[in-house]
Amino acid sequence: MDLLYRSTRSRGGAVSASQAILKGLADDGGLYVPESIPVLDQSLEALSQMTYQETAYEVMKLFFTDFTQEELKDCINKAYDSKFDTEVIAPLVEADGTYYLELFHGATIAFKDMALSILPHLLITSAKKNHVKNEIVILTATSGDTGKAALAGFAEVKGTRIIVFYPKNGVSPIQEKQMITQKGENTFVVGITGNFDDAQTGVKQLFGDKELAEIMDGAGFQFSSANSINIGRLVPQVVYYVYAYAQLFKEGKVEKGEKINVVVPTGNFGNILAAYFAKNMGVPIAKLICASNENKVLYDFFETGVYDRNREFVLTSSPSMDILISSNLERLIYLTAGADAEKNAAFMGALSEAGKYEITDDMRAQMKDFYGNYASEQETADMIRTLYEKTGYVIDPHTAVAAAVYGKYKKETGDNTKVVLASTASPFKFTRSVMNAIDEKYDAMGDFALVDELSKLANVKVPNAIEEIRTAPVLHDTVCDKSEMRSVVMQFLGI
């Protein structure tokens, strides 16, 4: 039986996996959700003997049912290859009693590589399956990591172009350099004078612009998304939670069926939603610990049942989490509202108009496995320094937010269940924040001198992703106001 996908905002017809991947966002502005979350059909013993690529196939085949075995394996093998600097793809490292799931061994040294390495191949395969003649234009807003990972994934992929919008002063210097030095005739990077939410809202408006869609279709183009709103991004993220648990079992760190907790630094809610999917597939996960930085809209939501984005936007040392509208939360709202699209659409309408909504007590009860908390900038820096001094292990600020929140959870609950913490970026991506946290004396050093110092300190080779941007020329210098995004897109496409 094929697994079909429905929009979170209407009772319209269901679509296949390949159609959902192609469209990215449903016509009504909703997100695609599978009609049911499939259950793993392989035993834990079998999964524990599999490579990352084999695990990926076992998970993805259950979601992407209109792909043939050959098509799916081809996509997986092209994605998880020598672009990753470790054969295991997602290693687990134990430090101070926590299992850090290192998701940053791909081409751009952030967890977004885990899904964005495969998305271009899923998209091109989906286009062929659906006899698409138009060139696919990937339109993406980024808070720092998605942009570069998407650019790296789609650069020079035939039949595609990619346009990335990022907040001009809202990403780290390394993140910006990674994007604006991106090669590829089909790539375009634009800084906007605004924050990530402005960029994300602007992109959603372009997706919903019917007049623009007609103009583009006439010129042989159509939009698709590489943001985590695309189901082709979310499903590959489920894989590493299945893989992590199987590896713990293989190494004798957990007994069969023993539950673990999962801690995720959270901005757009995609990465923790993937853990929720893994739990529903049968992975023995107890608590899903949602870690926020000072933009603590999700912490407040789990505390009160009220989602309220009417607050000051804070720029932090963990910029990928500087988000007030967590797009993927909509999928959880839809599922806990009993897959009631009208109910969900009303919540999203309230968010759009008033900037807030409140869920029912019944929905809150269904979210009891989620725990939310946040870490201040000081707590984040303290966590980086403390863990380094204790163990020699160096983590980035996003991972440190999660580690600090996990400390609060343990203190509050006394729960000593084994824990997997999603380590979402290499410390080399945020060298200044990391080195300042360890010792303020480093602040006088230049960005790349800091990189070399961190390499010595952590006894880790400088990643290739950093080496290649040391002297790379700036290839993208467009900056626009959020109101100009439409005209900038048309200009780039020559229409």
Side-chain angles (χ1 to χ4, degrees):
M1 281 286 289
D2 270 0
L3 181 62
L4 297 177
Y5 291 77
R6 291 189 178 275
S7 167
T8 52
R9 296 196 193 178
S10 74
R11 297 189 186 278
V15 299
S16 67
S18 63
Q19 288 167 331
I21 289 167
L22 260 180
K23 289 177 80 69
L25 201 62
D27 292 336
D28 54 31
L31 280 58
Y32 284 111
V33 173
E35 289 188 323
S36 62
I37 296 175
V39 175
L40 288 164
D41 61 3
Q42 291 284 352
S43 69
L44 182 57
E45 288 84 355
L47 287 164
S48 71
Q49 299 306 310
M50 292 182 190
T51 63
Y52 191 86
Q53 293 83 346
E54 288 164 342
T55 309
Y57 176 72
E58 293 303 330
V59 173
M60 290 189 212
K61 74 175 187 188
L62 301 172
F63 285 97
F64 301 150
T65 52
D66 63 330
F67 283 68
T68 66
Q69 181 177 344
E70 186 185 9
E71 285 168 342
L72 197 47
K73 285 189 171 175
D74 182 56
C75 290
I76 289 165
N77 293 332
K78 281 177 176 165
Y80 305 111
D81 58 7
S82 59
K83 289 191 289 295
F84 288 81
D85 64 18
T86 169
E87 263 184 58
V88 295
I89 307 296
L92 274 167
V93 175
E94 189 176 356
D96 197 28
T98 295
Y99 295 101
Y100 288 83
L101 179 60
E102 293 188 345
L103 301 172
F104 52 76
H105 288 274
T108 75
I109 58 176
F111 83 101
K112 307 289 171 80
D113 290 322
M114 302 299 292
L116 283 164
S117 296
I118 193 167
L119 184 62
H121 306 294
L122 293 172
L123 258 172
I124 295 301
T125 307
S126 296
K128 283 179 191 157
K129 292 176 97 61
N130 291 278
H131 313 293
V132 170
K133 298 287 185 281
N134 285 343
E135 195 167 338
I136 295 166
V137 180
I138 301 298
L139 195 61
T140 290
T142 185
S143 54
D145 287 340
T146 287
K148 175 59 183 180
L151 288 161
F154 282 94
E156 310 295 13
V157 172
K158 281 183 181 162
T160 69
R161 295 196 196 187
I162 176 163
I163 305 170
V164 170
F165 289 98
Y166 74 97
K168 178 63 187 155
N169 297 308
V171 299
S172 80
I174 296 281
Q175 284 177 313
E176 182 172 52
K177 188 95 192 276
Q178 280 189 304
M179 288 189 280
I180 61 177
T181 58
Q182 177 64 50
K183 295 174 187 163
E185 289 294 311
N186 66 332
T187 66
F188 189 46
V189 180
V190 186
I192 69 152
T193 50
N195 59 38
F196 170 71
D197 287 331
D198 295 324
Q200 182 164 258
T201 301
V203 163
K204 282 184 174 176
Q205 283 168 352
L206 290 171
F207 269 108
D209 189 329
K210 301 286 186 274
E211 185 195 15
L212 180 59
E214 280 179 32
I215 294 168
M216 287 180 57
D217 190 47
F221 298 110
Q222 70 186 60
F223 281 141
S224 189
S225 166
N227 274 84
S228 59
I229 52 175
N230 193 317
I231 198 72
R233 272 278 307 272
L234 184 65
V235 170
Q237 292 179 260
V238 178
V239 174
Y240 45 74
Y241 294 110
V242 177
Y243 179 74
Y245 189 89
Q247 291 307 300
L248 286 176
F249 175 72
K250 181 184 183 178
E251 292 164 18
K253 304 283 171 61
V254 293
E255 302 290 326
K256 186 177 179 178
E258 182 184 343
K259 289 192 171 182
I260 61 166
N261 290 334
V262 171
V263 191
V264 188
T266 311
N268 224 2
F269 208 75
N271 205 4
I272 195 161
L273 187 71
Y276 174 79
F277 272 43
K279 177 182 170 83
N280 281 277
M281 291 186 85
V283 178
I285 294 171
K287 281 286 181 191
L288 297 152
I289 299 168
C290 177
S292 300
N293 63 17
E294 288 181 8
N295 293 290
K296 57 188 183 69
V297 64
L298 287 165
Y299 162 61
D300 292 341
F301 169 70
F302 284 118
E303 282 288 288
T304 65
V306 177
Y307 191 96
D308 186 355
R309 67 173 171 85
N310 301 310
R311 62 185 68 208
E312 189 189 344
F313 183 91
V314 186
L315 286 173
T316 72
S317 60
S318 47
S320 298
M321 297 158 69
D322 291 347
I323 291 171
L324 295 181
I325 304 172
S326 302
S327 288
N328 262 292
L329 182 64
E330 179 170 346
R331 286 187 166 112
L332 183 66
I333 297 296
Y334 169 81
L335 291 169
T336 53
D340 186 330
E342 282 170 29
K343 205 170 175 182
N344 175 70
F347 288 130
M348 296 308 128
L351 181 64
S352 178
E353 285 156 34
K356 63 193 271 190
Y357 61 84
E358 183 171 5
I359 61 169
T360 65
D361 289 343
D362 178 54
M363 289 169 72
R364 284 189 75 186
Q366 290 183 62
M367 295 180 191
K368 66 182 187 314
D369 292 338
F370 284 91
Y371 166 91
N373 214 320
Y374 77 101
S376 69
E377 284 290 89
Q378 189 58 54
E379 288 167 334
T380 303
D382 289 348
M383 189 70 229
I384 293 170
R385 188 186 65 257
T386 305
L387 188 66
Y388 168 68
E389 287 173 352
K390 214 170 181 184
T391 66
Y393 188 59
V394 181
I395 54 176
D396 92 292
H398 302 76
T399 306
V401 166
V405 164
Y406 174 55
K408 290 182 179 186
Y409 169 78
K410 238 176 28 170
K411 199 171 177 184
E412 219 174 275
T413 63
D415 182 1
N416 285 315
T417 301
K418 284 164 190 157
V419 72
V420 167
L421 188 149
S423 183
T424 50
S426 164
F428 286 96
K429 206 155 191 169
F430 302 93
T431 41
R432 188 162 300 281
S433 299
V434 168
M435 297 301 276
N436 276 353
I438 290 170
D439 194 325
E440 285 178 2
K441 71 179 183 187
Y442 293 115
D443 200 35
M445 296 173 80
D447 285 323
F448 286 101
L450 280 174
V451 163
D452 295 328
E453 197 62 29
L454 174 57
S455 176
K456 281 186 228 160
L457 204 74
N459 198 23
V460 175
K461 185 173 171 278
V462 177
N464 187 47
I466 299 293
E467 287 294 0
E468 64 190 18
I469 62 168
R470 272 186 201 262
T471 54
V474 171
L475 301 174
H476 306 273
D477 57 5
T478 303
V479 178
C480 78
D481 186 74
K482 59 188 176 185
S483 63
E484 300 168 318
M485 289 168 68
R486 188 185 199 260
S487 57
V488 163
V489 166
M490 291 177 75
Q491 205 176 333
F492 173 60
L493 298 177
I495 54 177

